[in-house]
Coordinates of all heavy atoms in Angstrom, one line a residue:
V356 N 1.7 -11.2 0.6 CA 2.8 -11.3 -0.4 C 2.8 -12.6 -1.1 O 3.6 -12.8 -2.1 CB 4.2 -11.1 0.3 CG1 4.4 -9.7 0.8 CG2 4.4 -12.1 1.5
G357 N 2.0 -13.6 -0.7 CA 1.9 -14.8 -1.4 C 0.6 -15.5 -1.3 O -0.1 -15.3 -0.3
L358 N 0.2 -16.3 -2.3 CA -1.1 -17.0 -2.3 C -0.9 -18.3 -3.0 O -0.4 -18.3 -4.1 CB -2.1 -16.1 -2.9 CG -3.6 -16.6 -2.9 CD1 -4.1 -16.6 -1.5 CD2 -4.5 -15.8 -3.8
A359 N -1.4 -19.4 -2.4 CA -1.3 -20.7 -3.0 C -2.8 -21.1 -3.4 O -3.7 -20.7 -2.7 CB -0.8 -21.8 -2.1
A360 N -2.9 -21.8 -4.5 CA -4.2 -22.2 -5.0 C -5.1 -22.9 -4.0 O -6.3 -22.6 -4.0 CB -4.1 -23.1 -6.3
P361 N -4.6 -23.7 -3.1 CA -5.6 -24.3 -2.1 C -6.2 -23.2 -1.2 O -7.3 -23.5 -0.7 CB -4.7 -25.2 -1.2 CG -3.4 -25.4 -2.1 CD -3.3 -24.3 -3.0
Q362 N -5.6 -22.1 -1.0 CA -6.1 -21.0 -0.2 C -7.4 -20.4 -0.9 O -8.2 -19.8 -0.2 CB -5.1 -19.9 0.0 CG -4.0 -20.4 0.9 CD -3.0 -19.3 1.1 OE1 -2.1 -19.1 0.3 NE2 -3.2 -18.5 2.2
V363 N -7.6 -20.6 -2.2 CA -8.8 -20.2 -2.8 C -9.6 -21.3 -3.3 O -10.5 -21.2 -4.2 CB -8.5 -19.2 -4.0 CG1 -7.9 -17.9 -3.4 CG2 -7.6 -19.8 -5.0
G364 N -9.4 -22.5 -2.7 CA -10.2 -23.7 -2.9 C -9.9 -24.5 -4.2 O -10.7 -25.4 -4.5
A365 N -8.8 -24.2 -4.8 CA -8.3 -25.0 -6.0 C -7.2 -25.9 -5.6 O -6.1 -25.4 -5.3 CB -7.9 -24.1 -7.1
L366 N -7.4 -27.2 -5.6 CA -6.3 -28.1 -5.2 C -5.4 -28.4 -6.4 O -5.3 -29.5 -6.9 CB -6.9 -29.4 -4.7 CG -7.6 -29.3 -3.3 CD1 -8.2 -30.6 -2.8 CD2 -6.6 -28.8 -2.2
R367 N -4.7 -27.4 -6.8 CA -3.7 -27.4 -7.9 C -2.4 -26.8 -7.4 O -2.4 -26.0 -6.6 CB -4.2 -26.6 -9.1 CG -5.7 -26.8 -9.5 CD -6.1 -27.7 -10.6 NE -5.4 -27.7 -11.8 CZ -5.7 -26.9 -12.9 NH1 -6.7 -26.0 -12.8 NH2 -5.1 -27.0 -14.0
R368 N -1.3 -27.3 -8.0 CA 0.0 -26.9 -7.5 C 0.4 -25.5 -8.2 O 1.2 -25.5 -9.2 CB 1.0 -28.0 -7.7 CG 0.7 -29.2 -6.9 CD 1.8 -30.2 -6.9 NE 2.9 -29.9 -6.0 CZ 2.8 -30.1 -4.6 NH1 1.7 -30.5 -4.1 NH2 3.9 -29.8 -3.9
V369 N -0.3 -24.5 -7.7 CA -0.1 -23.1 -8.3 C 0.1 -22.1 -7.2 O -0.6 -22.2 -6.2 CB -1.3 -22.7 -9.2 CG1 -1.1 -21.3 -9.7 CG2 -1.6 -23.7 -10.3
V370 N 1.1 -21.2 -7.4 CA 1.4 -20.2 -6.4 C 1.6 -18.9 -7.1 O 2.2 -18.9 -8.2 CB 2.7 -20.5 -5.6 CG1 3.2 -19.4 -4.8 CG2 2.5 -21.7 -4.7
V371 N 1.1 -17.8 -6.5 CA 1.5 -16.4 -7.0 C 2.2 -15.7 -5.8 O 1.7 -15.9 -4.7 CB 0.4 -15.6 -7.6 CG1 -0.1 -16.2 -8.9 CG2 -0.7 -15.4 -6.6
L372 N 3.2 -15.0 -6.0 CA 3.8 -14.2 -4.9 C 4.5 -13.0 -5.4 O 4.8 -12.8 -6.6 CB 4.8 -15.1 -4.2 CG 6.0 -15.7 -4.9 CD1 7.2 -14.8 -4.9 CD2 6.4 -17.0 -4.3
L373 N 4.7 -12.1 -4.5 CA 5.4 -10.8 -4.9 C 6.9 -11.0 -4.5 O 7.2 -11.3 -3.4 CB 4.8 -9.6 -4.0 CG 3.5 -9.1 -4.4 CD1 3.0 -8.1 -3.4 CD2 3.5 -8.5 -5.8
D374 N 7.7 -10.7 -5.5 CA 9.2 -10.6 -5.3 C 9.4 -9.2 -4.8 O 9.5 -8.2 -5.5 CB 10.0 -10.9 -6.5 CG 11.5 -11.0 -6.2 OD1 11.9 -10.4 -5.2 OD2 12.2 -11.6 -7.0
V375 N 9.4 -9.0 -3.4 CA 9.6 -7.7 -2.8 C 11.0 -7.2 -2.9 O 11.3 -6.1 -2.5 CB 9.1 -7.8 -1.3 CG1 7.6 -8.1 -1.2 CG2 9.9 -8.8 -0.5
N376 N 11.9 -8.1 -3.4 CA 13.3 -7.6 -3.5 C 13.5 -6.9 -4.8 O 14.6 -6.3 -5.1 CB 14.3 -8.8 -3.4 CG 14.2 -9.5 -2.0 OD1 13.8 -8.8 -1.0 ND2 14.5 -10.7 -2.0
K377 N 12.6 -6.9 -5.7 CA 12.7 -6.2 -7.0 C 12.1 -4.8 -6.8 O 11.2 -4.6 -6.0 CB 11.9 -6.9 -8.1 CG 12.4 -8.3 -8.4 CD 13.6 -8.3 -9.2 CE 13.9 -9.7 -9.6 NZ 15.2 -9.9 -10.1
D378 N 12.5 -3.8 -7.6 CA 12.0 -2.5 -7.5 C 11.7 -2.1 -9.0 O 12.6 -1.9 -9.8 CB 13.0 -1.5 -6.9 CG 12.4 -0.1 -6.7 OD1 11.2 0.0 -6.6 OD2 13.2 0.8 -6.5
P379 N 10.4 -2.0 -9.3 CA 9.2 -2.2 -8.5 C 9.0 -3.7 -8.2 O 9.6 -4.6 -8.9 CB 8.1 -1.7 -9.3 CG 8.5 -1.9 -10.7 CD 10.0 -1.7 -10.7
E380 N 8.2 -4.0 -7.2 CA 7.9 -5.4 -6.9 C 7.4 -6.1 -8.1 O 6.7 -5.5 -8.9 CB 6.8 -5.5 -5.7 CG 7.3 -5.0 -4.4 CD 6.3 -5.0 -3.3 OE1 5.1 -5.1 -3.7 OE2 6.6 -4.8 -2.2
E381 N 7.7 -7.4 -8.2 CA 7.3 -8.2 -9.4 C 6.4 -9.4 -8.9 O 6.8 -10.1 -8.0 CB 8.6 -8.7 -10.0 CG 8.4 -9.5 -11.2 CD 9.7 -10.1 -11.8 OE1 10.8 -9.5 -11.5 OE2 9.6 -11.1 -12.5
M382 N 5.3 -9.5 -9.6 CA 4.4 -10.7 -9.4 C 5.0 -11.9 -10.1 O 5.3 -11.9 -11.3 CB 3.0 -10.4 -9.9 CG 2.0 -11.5 -9.6 SD 1.4 -11.6 -7.9 CE 0.3 -10.2 -7.8
V383 N 5.2 -13.0 -9.3 CA 5.8 -14.2 -9.8 C 4.7 -15.3 -9.8 O 4.0 -15.5 -8.9 CB 7.0 -14.6 -9.0 CG1 7.6 -15.9 -9.5 CG2 8.0 -13.5 -8.8
E384 N 4.6 -16.0 -11.0 CA 3.7 -17.1 -11.1 C 4.4 -18.4 -11.1 O 5.4 -18.6 -11.9 CB 2.9 -17.0 -12.4 CG 2.1 -15.7 -12.6 CD 1.5 -15.5 -13.9 OE1 1.7 -16.3 -14.9 OE2 0.8 -14.5 -14.1
L385 N 4.1 -19.4 -10.2 CA 4.8 -20.6 -10.1 C 3.8 -21.8 -10.3 O 2.8 -21.9 -9.5 CB 5.4 -20.7 -8.8 CG 6.4 -19.6 -8.4 CD1 6.8 -19.7 -6.9 CD2 7.6 -19.6 -9.2
V386 N 4.0 -22.6 -11.3 CA 3.2 -23.8 -11.5 C 4.0 -25.0 -11.2 O 5.2 -25.1 -11.7 CB 2.6 -23.8 -12.9 CG1 1.7 -25.1 -13.1 CG2 1.8 -22.6 -13.2
N387 N 3.5 -25.9 -10.4 CA 4.3 -27.1 -10.0 C 5.6 -26.8 -9.3 O 6.7 -27.4 -9.7 CB 4.5 -28.1 -11.2 CG 3.2 -28.6 -11.7 OD1 2.2 -28.9 -11.0 ND2 3.1 -28.7 -13.0
P388 N 5.7 -25.8 -8.4 CA 6.9 -25.4 -7.8 C 7.5 -26.4 -6.8 O 6.8 -27.1 -6.2 CB 6.6 -24.1 -7.1 CG 5.1 -24.3 -6.7 CD 4.5 -25.1 -7.8
E389 N 8.8 -26.4 -6.8 CA 9.6 -27.2 -5.9 C 10.8 -26.4 -5.4 O 11.5 -25.9 -6.2 CB 10.2 -28.5 -6.5 CG 9.2 -29.5 -7.0 CD 10.0 -30.6 -7.7 OE1 10.7 -31.4 -7.0 OE2 9.9 -30.7 -9.0
V390 N 11.0 -26.4 -4.1 CA 12.2 -25.8 -3.5 C 13.3 -26.8 -3.7 O 13.2 -27.9 -3.2 CB 12.0 -25.4 -2.0 CG1 13.3 -24.8 -1.5 CG2 10.9 -24.4 -1.9
I391 N 14.3 -26.4 -4.5 CA 15.4 -27.4 -4.8 C 16.7 -27.1 -4.1 O 17.5 -28.0 -4.1 CB 15.6 -27.4 -6.4 CG1 16.0 -26.1 -6.9 CG2 14.4 -28.0 -7.1 CD1 16.4 -26.1 -8.4
E392 N 16.8 -26.0 -3.5 CA 18.0 -25.7 -2.8 C 17.7 -24.6 -1.7 O 16.9 -23.7 -2.0 CB 19.1 -25.2 -3.8 CG 20.5 -25.2 -3.3 CD 21.5 -24.8 -4.4 OE1 21.2 -24.9 -5.6 OE2 22.6 -24.3 -4.0
K393 N 18.4 -24.8 -0.5 CA 18.2 -23.8 0.5 C 19.5 -23.5 1.2 O 20.4 -24.5 1.3 CB 17.2 -24.3 1.6 CG 15.9 -24.7 1.2 CD 15.1 -25.2 2.4 CE 14.3 -26.4 2.1 NZ 13.5 -26.9 3.2
R394 N 19.7 -22.3 1.7 CA 20.9 -22.0 2.4 C 20.6 -21.0 3.6 O 19.7 -20.2 3.5 CB 21.9 -21.2 1.5 CG 22.6 -22.1 0.6 CD 23.8 -21.4 -0.1 NE 23.9 -21.9 -1.4 CZ 24.0 -21.2 -2.5 NH1 23.9 -19.9 -2.4 NH2 24.0 -21.7 -3.7
G395 N 21.4 -21.2 4.6 CA 21.2 -20.3 5.8 C 20.0 -20.6 6.6 O 19.2 -21.5 6.3
E396 N 19.8 -19.8 7.6 CA 18.7 -19.9 8.5 C 18.4 -18.6 9.2 O 19.3 -17.9 9.6 CB 19.0 -21.0 9.5 CG 17.8 -21.8 10.0 CD 18.2 -22.9 10.9 OE1 18.8 -22.7 12.0 OE2 18.0 -24.1 10.6
E397 N 17.1 -18.3 9.2 CA 16.7 -17.0 9.9 C 15.4 -17.2 10.5 O 14.5 -17.8 10.0 CB 16.7 -15.9 8.8 CG 16.4 -14.5 9.4 CD 16.5 -13.5 8.3 OE1 16.4 -13.8 7.1 OE2 16.7 -12.3 8.6
R398 N 15.3 -16.7 11.7 CA 14.0 -16.7 12.5 C 13.3 -15.4 12.2 O 13.8 -14.3 12.5 CB 14.3 -16.9 14.0 CG 13.1 -17.2 14.8 CD 13.6 -17.5 16.2 NE 12.5 -17.9 17.1 CZ 12.1 -17.2 18.1 NH1 12.7 -16.0 18.4 NH2 11.1 -17.6 18.8
R399 N 12.1 -15.5 11.6 CA 11.4 -14.3 11.1 C 9.9 -14.4 11.6 O 9.4 -15.5 11.7 CB 11.4 -14.2 9.6 CG 12.8 -14.0 9.0 CD 12.7 -14.0 7.5 NE 12.0 -12.8 7.1 CZ 12.5 -11.8 6.3 NH1 13.7 -12.0 5.9 NH2 11.8 -10.8 6.0
I400 N 9.3 -13.3 11.7 CA 7.9 -13.3 12.0 C 7.1 -13.6 10.7 O 7.4 -13.0 9.6 CB 7.4 -11.9 12.6 CG1 8.0 -11.7 14.0 CG2 5.9 -11.9 12.7 CD1 7.8 -10.4 14.6
E401 N 6.1 -14.4 10.8 CA 5.4 -14.9 9.6 C 3.9 -14.8 10.0 O 3.5 -15.0 11.1 CB 5.8 -16.3 9.3 CG 5.5 -16.7 7.9 CD 6.3 -18.0 7.5 OE1 7.5 -18.0 7.5 OE2 5.6 -19.0 7.3
G402 N 3.1 -14.6 8.9 CA 1.6 -14.6 9.0 C 1.1 -15.3 7.8 O 1.9 -15.8 7.0
C403 N -0.2 -15.4 7.7 CA -0.8 -16.1 6.6 C -2.2 -15.6 6.3 O -3.0 -15.3 7.3 CB -0.9 -17.6 6.9 SG -1.6 -18.6 5.6
L404 N -2.5 -15.4 5.1 CA -3.9 -14.9 4.7 C -5.0 -15.9 5.2 O -6.1 -15.5 5.4 CB -4.0 -14.7 3.2 CG -3.1 -13.5 2.6 CD1 -3.1 -13.6 1.1 CD2 -3.5 -12.2 3.2
S405 N -4.6 -17.1 5.3 CA -5.6 -18.1 5.7 C -5.7 -18.3 7.3 O -6.5 -19.0 7.8 CB -5.3 -19.5 5.1 OG -5.5 -19.5 3.7
V406 N -4.8 -17.5 8.0 CA -4.9 -17.5 9.4 C -4.8 -16.0 9.9 O -3.8 -15.6 10.4 CB -3.7 -18.3 10.0 CG1 -3.9 -18.5 11.5 CG2 -3.5 -19.7 9.3
P407 N -5.9 -15.3 9.6 CA -5.8 -13.8 9.8 C -5.6 -13.5 11.2 O -6.2 -14.1 12.2 CB -7.2 -13.4 9.3 CG -8.0 -14.6 9.1 CD -7.1 -15.8 9.0
G408 N -4.7 -12.5 11.4 CA -4.5 -11.9 12.8 C -3.5 -12.7 13.6 O -3.3 -12.4 14.7
V409 N -3.0 -13.8 13.1 CA -2.1 -14.7 13.8 C -0.7 -14.6 13.2 O -0.5 -14.7 12.0 CB -2.5 -16.2 13.8 CG1 -1.5 -17.1 14.5 CG2 -3.9 -16.3 14.4
Y410 N 0.3 -14.3 14.1 CA 1.7 -14.2 13.7 C 2.6 -14.9 14.6 O 2.3 -15.1 15.8 CB 2.1 -12.7 13.7 CG 1.2 -11.8 12.8 CD1 0.1 -11.2 13.2 CD2 1.6 -11.7 11.4 CE1 -0.7 -10.5 12.4 CE2 0.8 -10.9 10.6 CZ -0.4 -10.4 11.1 OH -1.2 -9.6 10.2
G411 N 3.7 -15.4 14.1 CA 4.6 -16.1 15.0 C 6.0 -16.2 14.3 O 6.1 -16.0 13.1
Y412 N 7.0 -16.5 15.2 CA 8.3 -16.7 14.7 C 8.5 -18.1 14.0 O 8.1 -19.1 14.6 CB 9.4 -16.6 15.8 CG 9.6 -15.2 16.2 CD1 9.0 -14.7 17.3 CD2 10.5 -14.4 15.5 CE1 9.3 -13.3 17.7 CE2 10.7 -13.1 15.8 CZ 10.1 -12.5 17.0 OH 10.3 -11.3 17.3
V413 N 9.0 -18.1 12.8 CA 9.3 -19.4 12.1 C 10.7 -19.3 11.6 O 11.1 -18.3 11.1 CB 8.3 -19.6 10.9 CG1 8.6 -20.8 10.1 CG2 6.9 -19.6 11.4
T414 N 11.4 -20.4 11.7 CA 12.8 -20.4 11.1 C 12.7 -20.9 9.7 O 12.2 -22.0 9.4 CB 13.7 -21.3 12.0 OG1 13.8 -20.8 13.3 CG2 15.1 -21.4 11.4

Side-chain angles (χ1 to χ4, degrees):
V356 292
L358 185 67
Q362 292 179 274
V363 293
L366 289 176
R367 317 259 314 271
R368 298 188 79 76
V369 178
V370 166
V371 294
L372 61 88
L373 285 175
D374 186 336
V375 296
N376 296 336
K377 300 279 186 196
D378 188 19
E380 292 178 346
E381 181 183 338
M382 183 75 74
V383 180
E384 302 171 357
L385 305 169
V386 180
N387 298 321
E389 294 175 69
V390 177
I391 58 172
E392 200 176 331
K393 302 182 227 181
R394 286 193 214 125
E396 213 175 61
E397 186 174 20
R398 190 171 183 251
R399 300 176 65 121
I400 293 176
E401 202 164 294
C403 180
L404 294 171
S405 290
V406 192
V409 176
Y410 301 89
Y412 284 100
V413 176
T414 299

